[in-house]
Every structure is written in C-alpha cells, then in structure tokens.
C-alpha cells in the first residue's frame, strides 16, 4: 500500500493538478486499498472448536516415566520450544487403543511435571482408566481435564499462529502431525478466543473434519476403530507419531517388526466420492476396484470427501466402488497425499 501512495505523491509534484494526475492518483489509491483488503483476508484464520476431543491431565514426579512406557513416541522430546507431539497408545497385540496429541504444560501452572493428553471424547474415560491401571506405585495424578477446550486454526496461506500468550493459560502450537496442516489451541476457560485472536473466523467442526479428509489426516475412533486398527497402516510414522529409537513400550514388538520389514500393503488414504447429490454411506462398508477385487474399507466420509483403509497398489489409477445405504453403486477415487514420502515404493507393495 505504501508503494502505491508514494507513487501518487511523486506524480503530484510532477503534474500538479492536471487531469492525468487526478486519474493516476485515484487508480493507485484504489489499487492500494484493494491490495490491503486482500492481505487482511489472507490472514484470516478459520477457527473450529473440536467438541469431539477431550483432555486428560497426567501430572506428578513419575508422569514422564508412565507415558514413556505406554506411548509410541518419545516423551523426552517435549520441551519449552517443542510443546506438543503426536503419539498412540497400543494394546499387547500392537493395535491402536487411543490416538492422542500430548502437550507439555508449563510447570508454573502445575508445580510438577504435567502433560495434557488430547483424545477422542468417546474414549477419554477409557484412557483415564487405562493410565490408572498401569500406574501401579508411580507418583502420578491422572484425571479428566475440563479447564480448557480444543480448537483447530488454519487458513489457505499459513497455519502458524503467533499470538502474544505471555501470562496466558492457553496453549497454541503447530499441529505436530503434518507441516502446514493447522495450529492447535488449548483454550483455557478463563480466556476468550476472540480476545486472543482478532483474525479468527469461527467455523463449524465439520469444516475442520472436511479439511482433515482432504489432507488425508486420520483422527479418533471413527477413522481408527479401537482394537481394530494398526498404527503404521494409519500412517503413524508419516505423521511423526512414533520413535523407533526409544525404549520399550506396550505394543512395540509388532510395530517395530512391521517397520523394519518395510512392507505395509494397506494404508488410510483420502478418497473423493463422485456424486453430485447428498449421499449416505455406512462407515466400514467394503470397497472394490473396477476389476472387482476387494480393495479395503471406507472408514468415514463427509459429503464427497472421506478416508478409506485401502490396498495401495490396487487402488491407484482405478475407479473404486462402494454401496450407499440404498444399495446403489457409488464411484470414488483414492489419492496419495503430497506429504507422504517414498510414493513410488508404496505403489508396488
């Protein structure tokens, strides 16, 4: 904007009150206003309150040791500069129990080691019970945490939110799963999102869910049914959710063996459903490709976007078929997200 105004001033000194000056001045002024408006619009963030996510607080002298022995990621990575990581809790067979984002909370508010686990609301009480079962004699306090709520923040330009949260109880971090996907906010009940972020446009949670499906990001029990999903098939390694160099944890053996063999034939993938009308498809319905081969299962969808657990080599460059609730054949296609590494190797597994 400043550049266009400076141009207008220079023309004023040269042309004085001529018609040419008047025309050029107003053209530059209009362009400056339009450019300013575009910039403001680009900086506007979509902010979605995630009612489907709940929080569990784990605190105490042995809190880190407890989490380190139960989760797939390395809790030691959490610091002042790196305040959140993605991780999972597995059962003895290496299947997913809970997918969580683990936040390191400022000890100034806890007076001891303190972690906030963000999980699916349907499994929050189960996660609390799971932690207490393995606590044994460790000095750890475990309880549901209702003093904050989870928000996702994003726009088309950037996902990094840089508010001034000095002396605030809320926590904002970049989503630790995928670079560029979103920012995560734990909004404390004593604070207001509109006061913390003046560029926040409140949207429905379904908008965030649609964004997840477009990106191919799984989250919660609908996308990863408890006890019926494997972590690497759910792209845990791609989403920075596992450490293969930390010590032992529950469910490690199968996860590590699968990783080192290098063969993961099925993966959760984003799918685009080809339908111009509103469609209803049951979660878990079978998917076949155009050759009639069983390819996988549709995990969930919203409108024309969804996630499906598919055999990668059988789903690429082929039409996929699912049946809606009325038994009609619905076509869809599967995509390999841009953030997946080694795309060429995935196609031949």
């Amino acid at each position: 904007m400043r550049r266009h105004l400076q141009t207008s001033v220079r023309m004023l000194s040269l042309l004085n009150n001529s018609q040419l000056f008047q025309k050029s001045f107003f053209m530059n002024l209009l362009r400056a206003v339009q450019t300013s408006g575009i910039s403001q619009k680009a900086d506007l963030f979509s902010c979605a309150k995630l009612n489907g996510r709940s929080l569990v607080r784990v605190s105490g002298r042995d809190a880190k040791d407890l989490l380190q022995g139960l989760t797939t990621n390395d809790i030691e990575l959490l610091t002042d500069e790196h305040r959140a990581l993605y991780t999972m809790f597995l059962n003895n067979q290496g299947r997913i129990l809970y997918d969580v984002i683990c936040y390191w909370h400022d000890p100034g508010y806890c007076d001891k080691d303190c972690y906030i686990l963000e999980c699916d609301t349907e499994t929050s009480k189960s996660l609390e019970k799971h932690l207490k079962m393995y606590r044994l004699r460790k000095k750890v306090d475990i309880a549901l945490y209702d003093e904050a709520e989870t928000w996702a923040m994003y726009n088309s330009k950037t996902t990094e939110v840089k508010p001034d949260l000095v002396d605030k109880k809320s926590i904002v971090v970049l989503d630790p799963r995928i670079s560029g996907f979103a920012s995560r906010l734990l909004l404390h009940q004593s604070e207001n999102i509109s006061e913390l972020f003046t560029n926040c446009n409140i949207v429905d949670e379904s908008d965030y869910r649609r964004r997840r499906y477009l990106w191919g990001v799984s989250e919660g029990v609908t996308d990863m049914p408890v006890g019926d999903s494997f972590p690497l098939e759910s792209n845990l390694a791609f989403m920075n959710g596992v450490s293969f160099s930390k010590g032992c944890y529950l469910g490690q053996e199968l996860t590590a063996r699968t990783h080192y063999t290098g063969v993961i034939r099925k993966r959760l993938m984003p799918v685009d459903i080809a339908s111009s009308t509103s469609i209803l498809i049951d979660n878990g319905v079978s998917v076949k490709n155009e050759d009639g081969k069983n390819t996988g299962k549709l995990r969930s969808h919203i409108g024309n976007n969804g996630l499906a657990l598919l055999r990668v080599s059988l789903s690429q460059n082929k039409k996929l078929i699912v049946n809606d609730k009325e038994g009609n054949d619905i076509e869809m296609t599967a995509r390999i997200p841009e953030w997946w590494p080694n795309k060429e190797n995935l196609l031949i597994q």
Side-chain angles (χ1 to χ4, degrees):
M1 180 174 182
R2 182 182 300 172
R3 177 170 59 83
H4 293 303
L5 293 175
Q6 288 175 341
T7 301
S8 299
V9 171
R10 287 197 300 269
M11 295 180 71
L12 174 62
S13 62
L14 293 173
L15 302 173
N16 199 2
N17 292 323
S18 68
Q19 291 182 348
L20 179 60
F21 157 72
Q22 294 176 30
K23 180 179 180 181
S24 300
F25 175 84
F26 287 110
M27 286 181 65
N28 277 279
L29 182 60
L30 178 61
R31 192 179 299 117
V33 172
Q34 291 174 335
T35 303
S36 175
I38 292 172
S39 176
Q40 291 175 4
K41 184 176 181 180
D43 292 336
L44 190 66
F45 279 86
S46 295
C47 302
K49 180 181 176 182
L50 307 184
N51 296 307
R53 305 292 284 178
S54 293
L55 305 173
V56 177
R57 187 168 75 170
V58 182
S59 60
R61 186 182 68 191
D62 299 325
K64 182 187 295 184
D65 290 340
L66 175 64
L67 294 175
Q68 190 76 329
L70 292 176
T71 62
T72 58
N73 216 334
D74 189 353
I75 302 300
E76 296 282 355
L77 295 174
L78 291 171
T79 64
D80 279 327
E81 292 75 29
H82 185 74
R83 299 189 65 182
L85 56 75
Y86 182 55
T87 189
M88 288 183 177
F89 291 81
L90 310 179
N91 63 15
N92 290 323
Q93 291 76 41
R95 296 173 184 265
I96 299 170
L97 292 177
Y98 319 102
D99 70 302
V100 307
I101 295 179
C102 180
Y103 302 85
W104 182 83
H105 207 298
D106 189 337
Y109 295 116
C110 294
D111 298 324
K112 47 192 171 183
D113 286 342
C114 185
Y115 303 89
I116 306 295
L117 305 180
E118 176 204 317
C119 64
D120 193 299
T121 297
E122 289 187 27
T123 60
S124 58
K125 292 183 179 180
S126 175
L127 173 57
E128 179 189 17
K129 182 178 179 180
H130 180 76
L131 290 165
K132 288 180 177 179
M133 180 175 66
Y134 284 95
R135 174 175 54 184
L136 302 176
R137 296 184 179 181
K138 291 182 173 66
K139 302 297 183 182
V140 184
D141 295 321
I142 302 163
L144 297 178
Y145 183 67
D146 59 2
E147 296 180 16
E149 55 193 24
T150 306
W151 289 71
M153 306 178 66
Y154 48 89
N155 69 11
S156 59
K157 182 180 179 182
T158 178
T159 56
E160 186 170 9
V161 184
K162 296 181 178 180
D164 182 7
L165 293 185
V166 176
D167 299 325
K168 302 294 185 182
K169 295 185 178 180
S170 297
I171 300 173
V172 63
V173 297
L174 284 173
D175 192 305
R177 293 171 292 188
I178 303 169
S179 176
F181 172 61
S183 283
R184 217 69 168 184
L185 168 68
L186 295 188
L187 180 66
H188 194 268
Q189 62 184 12
S190 64
E191 295 163 355
N192 187 288
I193 190 168
S194 298
E195 295 176 357
L196 295 179
F197 306 94
T198 57
N199 57 346
C200 184
N201 176 40
I202 307 297
V203 298
D204 189 77
E205 186 174 2
S206 61
D207 187 82
Y208 166 73
R209 186 181 170 199
R210 185 175 290 105
R211 180 179 177 86
R212 283 202 300 106
Y213 291 168
L214 284 169
W215 278 68
V217 178
S218 55
E219 185 176 286
V221 298
T222 302
D223 299 338
M224 296 169 286
V226 174
D228 193 33
S229 306
F230 290 101
L232 299 186
E233 289 183 351
S234 303
N235 304 316
L236 178 66
F238 291 175
M239 295 196 290
N240 306 306
V242 60
S243 170
F244 294 105
S245 60
K246 63 174 278 187
C248 296
Y249 58 87
L250 188 64
Q252 178 195 29
E253 183 178 354
L254 179 61
T255 305
R257 185 167 67 245
T258 303
H259 170 72
Y260 288 116
T261 59
V263 178
I264 304 167
R265 293 184 171 85
K266 292 187 294 183
R267 288 187 179 274
L268 277 177
M269 303 178 68
V271 292
D272 301 319
I273 301 171
S275 177
S276 58
T277 60
S278 178
I279 51 175
L280 293 174
I281 305 174
D282 289 327
N283 295 339
V285 68
S286 296
V287 179
K288 294 184 178 181
N289 64 16
E290 60 188 33
D291 299 324
K293 295 182 178 180
N294 288 322
T295 307
K297 293 183 178 181
L298 179 70
R299 281 289 168 81
S300 55
H301 80 100
I302 180 169
N304 296 90
N305 307 111
L307 284 178
L309 180 66
L310 300 172
R311 179 77 177 262
V312 180
S313 62
L314 296 179
S315 63
Q316 293 304 289
N317 303 316
K318 293 180 181 293
K319 292 180 181 179
L320 304 176
I321 308 295
V322 293
N323 293 126
D324 64 12
K325 290 192 174 183
E326 297 179 356
N328 300 313
D329 286 348
I330 303 295
E331 290 186 3
M332 65 182 189
T333 55
R335 292 181 288 106
I336 293 182
E338 289 297 320
W339 50 270
W340 281 19
N342 305 320
K343 301 180 183 63
E344 295 78 9
N345 294 336
L346 293 171
L347 292 175
I348 62 176
Q349 294 184 1

